[in-house]
Amino acid sequence: MLNNNISDATKYFIDLRRHMWVAGIELDLRRLIWQIAVTGKYISAKIHESNRKLAGLKNIYDEEQLALDRSSDRILRNQLEFSGFVREYASEELDEIIKIGKGDEKYYITADPLDGSSLVDTNLAIGTIIGIHNEPVPSQGRKSMVAALYITYGPLITMVYSAGKGTHEFVLNREGEYVLSEENITLKQRGSIYSIGGLKRDWTENHARYVGFLDDEGYKLRYSGGFVPDINQIMIKRGGVFTYPALKNSPNGKLRLVFELQPMAFLVEQAGGRATDGTRDILDITAETLDQRNPIYIGSPFEVEKAREFFAAGKD
Ligand code: AFP
């Protein structure tokens, strides 16, 4: 692991490949993470090129445009097909897991190629979420997940990864290199912001009491509607809680366990935080189906444990 006291001037020269090498991450995994990070550049170029146009629209040459989330999926899939490290690819954009390797590759990928695509027209940040497993998915997250990462497409393009040796942020610079910006991100025991998805009128009693507690404690609301930037905010501000809860009319919440929740739980745990559905650790939940949804409370230890307490003591 690199020196924590590394100066700002020095750390900007540490690129992603060097960081992973110094951290002692296994060669194939390093190469795979690198290839996915590179894909972020192509997806970001696609976002720019789309000029906010979404599915079903025609471009200036009168050609049908693919929705950005679907074209991001294609970019990712094409890149990984030739990587030599990926046996199977499961994407939120596809109905089935597809075999993209020869059959002897080590890794299984889960991808949410472009999360928050409905925010593209507003010019808010959006992102890509990746999980890397050494067993077929869907399976038990903690047991099979060896790495996770997300890429944010905002004013800056950043990449946050963990291969089980801490969580680190890199910024894409003008030369096209991912350079280290935050090493060993460590969440505080307790933060001061909350992000809450779902309509208030649909909240369960336990959840409403929990939010009431956060309000009384003076937490500030910070919600963009994009899972990646909302989690990234907690990472970079070093604390707080994001929740997309069980709702009266959708008891499993909205977000997908395999594609969204488990990769983020891995990254947050590696940063000293926690993630629960109210009773179980997100990474301990076995997915029954690829598109399974679960409620989530994720962030600093204090807020996540408080959520567990409210659910343990509560009625619903
Ligand atoms: P889209 O990909 O359809 O924009 O959904 C984004 C998302 O899956 C996730 O990124 C957000 O946290 C969540 O939905 C926001 O949901 P609400 O619009 O219900 O707040």
Side-chain angles (χ1 to χ4, degrees), residues 115-118 223 225-227 242 244 254-255 260:
D115 187 72
S117 51
S118 65
Y223 187 73
F227 190 40
F242 173 97
Y244 209 109
K254 176 180 182 190
L255 301 182
E260 295 167 305

Side-chain angles (χ1 to χ4, degrees), residues 14 79 151 156 218 266:
I14 296 170
Q79 176 88 347
I151 300 169
L156 292 174
F266 186 90

